[in-house]
């Protein structure tokens, strides 16, 4: 296990807003940003678009994420192919992966449902760690609010996996 490297990741999924209630479906984007804790820098970034097998991209989803059905049709690949690229470019079981919340569970469950091997082993939930570090016992806090609370400027469009992973990596460098 390489304890000097952490791969921050963010998932975007098909989503709908019906009668004020949000629901999500399959993964359509995976953003990654790897940090070197020893050098205290972001060393690698990537963005992968995933073609959903059953879900469609709603107008609400496009508005929220900026991901259109056309973009997925042109640039998306099956989740299994994306997983192979992730392992090749970022490593599998030898890296620690971190997200804001339990994206690891969502990721693992979708892979299981699609019969895809899930080679990632170590995960850090930075939202839980942040709440512990800041003694926020019962209070939830969003990624952007947490980042701004420690005076790290948010960059880019929120709800873009690529942007969110990059911002999470900046926060991880302060937290870890």
């Amino acid at each position: 296990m390489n304890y000097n490297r952490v791969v921050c990741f963010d998932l975007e999924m098909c989503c709908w807003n019906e009668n004020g209630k949000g629901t999500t479906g399959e993964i359509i984007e995976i953003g990654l940003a790897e940090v070197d804790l020893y050098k205290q820098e972001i060393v690698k970034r990537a963005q992968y678009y995933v073609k959903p097998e059953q879900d469609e991209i709603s107008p609400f989803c496009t508005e929220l994420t900026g991901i259109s059905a056309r973009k997925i049709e042109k640039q998306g690949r099956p989740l299994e192919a994306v997983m192979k690229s992730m392992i090749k470019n970022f490593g599998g079981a030898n890296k620690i992966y971190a997200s804001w919340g339990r994206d690891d569970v969502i990721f693992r469950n979708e892979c299981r449902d699609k019969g895809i091997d899930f080679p990632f082993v170590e995960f850090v939930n930075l939202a839980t760690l942040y709440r512990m570090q800041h003694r926020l016992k019962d209070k939830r806090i969003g990624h952007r609010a947490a980042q701004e609370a420690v005076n790290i400027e948010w960059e880019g469009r929120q709800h873009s996996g690529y942007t969110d992973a990059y911002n999470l990596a900046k926060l991880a460098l302060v937290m870890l």
Side-chain angles (χ1 to χ4, degrees), residues 13 19 28 39 47 49 113 121 155:
M13 294 158 290
N19 301 322
I28 55 172
K39 293 180 181 176
Q47 176 181 44
Y49 289 113
D113 293 346
V121 177
E155 294 181 49

Side-chain angles (χ1 to χ4, degrees), residues 96-112:
I96 299 168
Y97 283 74
S99 62
W100 191 265
R102 295 307 313 262
D103 281 8
D104 60 310
V105 173
I106 294 166
F107 203 2
R108 177 175 292 138
N109 288 344
E110 186 163 331
C111 286
R112 181 200 63 224

Side-chain angles (χ1 to χ4, degrees), residues 48 77-91 116-117 119-120:
Y48 300 104
R77 297 184 295 147
L79 182 58
E80 188 167 23
V82 167
M83 293 287 287
K84 287 177 183 175
S85 293
M86 287 176 61
I87 294 163
K88 179 182 175 192
N89 295 317
F90 289 88
I116 300 168
D117 288 336
F120 312 114

